[in-house]
Amino acid sequence: MVLGGPALADPVADYNEFCADCHAANRLGGTGPALIPETLRRMRGPKIEAVIRDGRVATQMPGFTEELTDAQITALSDYLKTPLDTIPPWGAEQINASRVMDEDYVAADSPVWDADPMNITLVVETGDHHVSVLNGDTFEVLDRFATPFAVHGGPKFSPDGRYVFIMSRDGWVQKYDIYSLKQVGRTRAGLNSRNIAMSGDGKWLAVANYLPNTLTILSTEDLTVAEVHKIEGKDGTPSRVSAVYQAPPRDSFVLALKDVPEVWEVSYSENPDMSLFAGGFTHDWRIEGPTEQDTDFPIRRITTPDYLDDFFFDQSYEHLMGASRKGEDGMVIDLVIGMKVADLDLPGMPHLGSGITWAYGDTTVMATPHLKEGVISVIDMNSWETIKRIPTEGPGFFMRSHENSKYVWADVFFGPNKDAMHVIDKQTLEIVKTLRPVPGATVAHVEFTRDGKYALVSVWEDDGAVLIYDAETLEEVRRLPMRKPSGKYNVWNKITFSEGTSH
């Protein structure tokens, strides 16, 4: 310290004084989110400093511009970007202990609103961590409720469309009753999580975790833990779970692993095929057969030629399309026989998670945007050949369509043309119109109403909006002001796996 000068910044002391009450002394979150690199990565340094200095509008996060100097704020920001020395255990005991069910929640006998229950659309507003519940016929906002910090991955609906489950980056899973317009409860299924998947029968919710390296399976009834799977490759290498998907015809979840070249299939069937989900063979398999795994959710491991952390499934869920992490190609894995059966010509890092399919002539095609170049690849789902590459004005992130629409909508999420939305004819595979509803703003992610009559488009800005378009004439008919709306999710389209919807 220089005599008479300011004290050196002590970020640990500042954290303990100003942050620990809400974010916990171990930085893993309490009433506020976890403050670790895994959850703050997308905010980057300057954004973290701005939040410390100015707080967050419409949240409990205050600003500390009066309490901390610029040097202290910079040092605290750097501290929050440093990894933790140790990660505490986060298994079934800790998850169940975090579970809070709302004491005042009472399930309504029928919807408390007058609308088509199958045409409800949820809008995730990341600007202030809320979800708006829209009447899909009138676009009236029926409710707007707070979510955990930084919702990530699409919400998942129960098969009857009554309940929705929402997950945040820091592992919180929220259950909300759409009929009652009330939260049911929430639990923390991981410390840093990627996405969730609903079982086909609606009984189980799988949570993919980066931290710790686990797959958590929750009961959808009361959010208690059914099982926590530790994720390790065949050679013992621990792995993060990039994503988990449901495969309803197979009564299973399928996992994309980040750190080992394997695909996992986890069965939730009451009678799984033990020739696939065996834990190995007994001493004399000819007499005794395969050994059952001691779990209600047995695992099948499929070794892959490369790391695959982004998937797309055909309509039968027999084939999995995976993108190479190098972003140079892809492959098709046959889930029935458990091996690669075809290569895919997919350079430019395709975003398979946003891919969609539709009927094209006498075949079915799948289309996917690319994250590194302005192109959309269109693939024949029978031959696995790329039949066309559609040039766009920049790399895109989302694509959407509907079985009753003749168009595909594709955004240009990255780069100077982020305000563009391409509309593509399904049969000519040509761009028929490029919309620019708000010049200079990010325009992204499309969802349709149940009947496909209207397309809902996000203006992905803090003072943004959801734009309602006539899906036939491509004319804008209404704007709904929103706080940085991101994804939109229609109950019917999601629970029926509507054509043109990512699953």
Side-chain angles (χ1 to χ4, degrees), residues 321-385:
M321 303 167 69
S324 164
R325 184 181 299 172
K326 297 187 293 290
E328 299 172 358
D329 50 25
M331 66 186 71
V332 180
I333 304 294
D334 187 319
L335 290 174
V336 176
I337 61 176
M339 63 182 294
K340 186 183 91 167
V341 294
D343 291 306
L344 297 171
D345 181 17
L346 282 174
M349 193 172 286
H351 188 210
L352 293 180
S354 287
I356 61 172
T357 60
W358 68 86
Y360 175 74
D362 59 357
T363 189
T364 297
V365 296
M366 176 266 194
T368 178
H370 291 250
L371 301 177
K372 285 188 174 181
E373 58 182 328
V375 68
I376 292 169
S377 290
V378 184
I379 298 168
D380 188 314
M381 295 292 282
N382 292 317
S383 67
W384 305 114
E385 294 180 355

Side-chain angles (χ1 to χ4, degrees), residues 18 53 157 204 445 478 490:
F18 298 107
R53 181 180 297 106
F157 297 99
W204 313 109
H445 196 278
R478 190 169 176 185
N490 178 269

Side-chain angles (χ1 to χ4, degrees), residues 257-289:
L257 303 187
K258 187 77 172 178
D259 305 303
V260 298
E262 296 178 18
V263 169
W264 282 21
E265 185 174 16
V266 179
S267 177
Y268 54 78
S269 170
E270 294 183 2
N271 299 292
D273 182 350
M274 293 314 299
S275 66
L276 296 176
F277 292 93
F281 290 108
T282 54
H283 295 97
D284 191 338
W285 61 269
R286 293 167 298 179
I287 299 173
E288 302 174 66

Side-chain angles (χ1 to χ4, degrees), residues 23 55 80 113 118 136 143 147 154 157 198 228 241 263 284 295 316 356 419 448 463 483 498:
H23 301 277
L80 299 181
W113 32 261
M118 293 292 103
D143 189 29
T147 66
F157 297 99
M198 171 78 65
V228 178
V241 185
V263 169
D284 191 338
T295 171
S316 68
I356 61 172
D419 57 357
F448 288 80
D463 57 346
R483 291 290 305 279
S498 172

